[in-house]
Amino acid sequence: MFRLPKPTSAIRFLCSPEDHDVIAPPVPAKTALPDWFRKLRPVDPQQTSATNNGLTVKRCLPFLDAMTAGWLLPLAATVRLEIKDGGRTVEAGWEFDRVMVSNHGAHQVAGHPKQPCPPCKFHNYWSIRTPPGWSCLFVPPLNRAPQPFECVAGLVDTDTYSAHVHLPFFATALDGLYVIEKGTPLVQVIPVRRDGATLQAEIRPETHHEAAQREVVRRNTIAAEGWYRRFARAVR
């Protein structure tokens, strides 16, 4: 079972001294909300066909929790990504003095649904260290606009693996030349705790009592704005 880290848990992002203040640094996901989300405003339900009193996903705590969890690991320096031949060819270029993109062999992902796009890899120059018993989940940035690429998700034991974690990806855009700017979020890094426990699955019809509980929660969610924030989370 995985648990989110306690506030006192420390995650360290370390780079070579010569890269400090040169490559783009990681940022807390909660401090880098996309513009579309910041600009989102409630609408008057009387003026539109809006439901839920015209409220937006800004009031949806599960959506916001996913978007703000962990850290965003950015592209160290600007890269030009050229996609050709219906995605079968991906070429990268950059002016930086570090390798920014390399290729994987296509045989490593034979049959992957992203084929014919070849597997590539962004090079990351931040070493990530977590306390004993903590790993890091690497996922594409959650609830954010898509890029011309999508990184592959992975779970790394960053308490023992202190080497650079490079980021495999597939190009996902149509043929063309794309400039991916320094600082573009590549993945969201979410620390998770390994405590040795596992959850067993129980699959069955719900009881009448369980059905009644579910219905109470559903109706409270509808009846009181912010109920999830005030009550569902309060029991943690």
Side-chain angles (χ1 to χ4, degrees), residues 130-148:
T130 46
W134 291 85
S135 296
C136 280
L137 178 64
F138 294 74
V139 294
L142 299 172
N143 294 332
R144 286 171 168 81
Q147 296 289 345

Side-chain angles (χ1 to χ4, degrees), residues 3-211:
R3 296 175 182 170
L4 290 176
K6 296 179 181 179
T8 55
S9 298
I11 179 172
R12 292 177 291 162
F13 295 90
L14 309 177
C15 68
S16 298
E18 63 270 23
D19 286 339
H20 189 245
D21 291 332
V22 176
I23 63 175
V27 295
K30 65 183 178 182
T31 68
L33 299 178
D35 287 341
W36 73 265
F37 183 82
R38 294 180 182 278
K39 296 175 181 177
L40 201 57
R41 297 288 183 271
V43 298
D44 183 352
Q46 295 183 348
Q47 302 299 321
T48 69
S49 59
T51 58
N52 296 326
N53 297 321
L55 299 178
T56 69
V57 291
K58 279 190 173 181
R59 303 296 298 179
C60 179
L61 200 56
F63 183 97
L64 187 60
D65 280 348
M67 177 179 277
T68 60
W71 295 72
L72 294 175
L73 193 60
L75 184 65
T78 298
V79 166
R80 298 180 303 277
L81 204 65
E82 187 171 10
I83 305 172
K84 300 186 292 186
D85 305 324
R88 291 174 174 81
T89 301
V90 178
E91 297 177 353
W94 56 90
E95 306 299 331
F96 194 47
D97 60 356
R98 295 277 191 275
V99 174
M100 294 300 300
V101 177
S102 61
N103 296 318
H104 280 291
H107 67 279
Q108 294 179 295
V109 292
H112 192 280
K114 294 291 186 183
Q115 288 188 323
C117 295
C120 305
K121 179 167 58 181
F122 285 118
H123 285 237
N124 158 53
Y125 293 100
W126 291 96
S127 172
I128 303 172
R129 319 287 182 93
T130 46
W134 291 85
S135 296
C136 280
L137 178 64
F138 294 74
V139 294
L142 299 172
N143 294 332
R144 286 171 168 81
Q147 296 289 345
F149 61 87
E150 182 177 308
C151 287
V152 176
L155 184 64
V156 180
D157 293 344
T158 45
D159 54 346
T160 56
Y161 187 81
S162 58
H164 293 146
V165 178
H166 298 309
L167 307 170
F169 73 93
F170 290 95
T172 55
L174 299 175
D175 285 6
L177 180 63
Y178 301 87
V179 177
I180 307 169
E181 300 289 348
K182 171 183 175 179
T184 298
L186 300 178
V187 291
Q188 196 162 341
V189 182
I190 303 175
V192 292
R193 180 160 185 153
R194 309 185 310 272
D195 61 8
T198 58
L199 290 177
Q200 300 298 318
E202 185 177 350
I203 304 171
R204 58 169 174 77
E206 63 188 358
T207 65
H208 290 298
H209 176 66
E210 290 164 339

